Amino acid sequence: EIWLARQSGLNGFEKLVVIKRMMIALEQDPEYVDMFLTEARLAAQLSHPNVVQIYELGEELGSLYIVMEYLDGEDLAVVRRTGQKHGLPLLDHYAAKLVSMAAEGLHYAHTRTGIDGKALGIVHRDVSPQNLIATFDGGLKVVDFGIAKAASKHTNSGKLKGKLAYMSPEQARGEPLDARSDIFSLGIVLFEVVTRGRLLPRLNDLELLTIMGGTDPLPKPSERRADLPASLEPIILKMMARKREQRF
């Protein structure tokens, strides 16, 4: 459950924050509790203009909650759809700028070290338009580290976590992941924003899993939009390379 709240302090100090609370039905499920705590632990170690800020992890009447930064904006999926609906698609240079800000935030998370100086090895694993919030003041923040994986933490094997339509091939196959998996997912986001449509629309989960984990070439952005700036396609194709060693 997500709540908008007002944090009060001395001498009339007020600040809008978001409280994310575990739903009662999930509070007895160790896996969901672990995901909730993972989000708080990992994100609390991150302080970057392009990553949502976590202020507090707490418990009230037996319920876990996270207090985080309030972002006044909309996710990129809403931005894309709304622009299309009104005949005002996001301009290419804005799209590239927003995705570059997401890349800045992800790079910071990927290269972040702990207080012991050792690399945390964070991989977000759920990079998608829904987890990239464009703020009304022109910024962008990566949110929802609930299924992120740190090098020091092992997740349950045999369970796929993340959105199938944005999974890297190695993630769809259940292989070990590194930062390049998030790069692949972000490449799909950029593809969809500039081509103004879904990469793989109207497919069921099994079809998505088969395609994302396979080896067949994915569509090129220029096949969907002939007037795409020539400089963008090589970047998108490199981000979405099937083999991770060929990506940025």
Side-chain angles (χ1 to χ4, degrees), residues 3 95 105 123 159 162 178 195 204 217 225:
W3 299 80
V123 182
K159 290 189 177 181
D178 60 26
T195 63
N204 61 42
R225 190 180 147 207

Side-chain angles (χ1 to χ4, degrees), residues 46-58:
L46 305 177
S47 180
H48 188 273
N50 301 119
V51 177
V52 67
Q53 186 70 52
I54 300 295
Y55 298 136
E56 180 184 346
L57 169 67

Side-chain angles (χ1 to χ4, degrees), residues 122-141:
I122 294 174
V123 182
H124 188 286
R125 300 203 302 166
D126 196 17
V127 175
S128 64
Q130 292 81 6
N131 287 334
L132 303 176
I133 306 298
T135 57
F136 293 131
D137 61 2
L140 183 131
K141 301 223 176 192

Side-chain angles (χ1 to χ4, degrees), residues 120-243:
L120 293 175
I122 294 174
V123 182
H124 188 286
R125 300 203 302 166
D126 196 17
V127 175
S128 64
Q130 292 81 6
N131 287 334
L132 303 176
I133 306 298
T135 57
F136 293 131
D137 61 2
L140 183 131
K141 301 223 176 192
V142 181
V143 303
D144 201 349
F145 283 77
I147 65 167
K149 183 179 184 298
S152 60
K153 183 171 178 59
H154 300 284
T155 54
N156 292 338
S157 59
K159 290 189 177 181
L160 277 179
K161 295 179 180 178
K163 298 178 183 68
L164 289 171
Y166 299 92
M167 280 189 180
S168 67
E170 59 269 25
Q171 185 175 3
R173 293 192 293 262
E175 298 172 359
L177 305 180
D178 60 26
R180 293 170 292 185
S181 179
D182 287 344
I183 294 297
F184 184 95
S185 303
L186 189 60
I188 297 180
V189 173
L190 182 55
F191 179 105
E192 294 185 345
V193 174
V194 299
T195 63
R196 302 156 190 174
R198 296 292 302 273
L199 173 68
L200 299 170
R202 296 182 296 278
L203 295 178
N204 61 42
D205 286 354
L206 182 57
E207 291 171 326
L208 281 172
L209 186 61
T210 301
I211 292 174
M212 301 312 289
T215 58
D216 292 340
L218 292 168
K220 293 182 178 180
S222 59
E223 295 171 358
R224 301 284 180 85
R225 190 180 147 207
D227 65 337
L228 184 77
S231 58
L232 271 178
E233 180 153 276
I235 295 171
I236 296 171
L237 294 179
K238 188 173 178 67
M239 295 175 78
M240 291 173 53
R242 285 287 195 182
K243 296 180 180 179

Side-chain angles (χ1 to χ4, degrees), residues 1-7 15-20 68-72:
E1 295 178 339
I2 303 295
W3 299 80
L4 180 63
R6 183 181 293 110
Q7 184 183 42
K15 182 176 184 176
L16 287 178
V17 296
V18 167
I19 297 177
K20 187 174 184 176
M68 62 177 66
E69 176 183 12
Y70 167 59
L71 303 178
D72 187 20

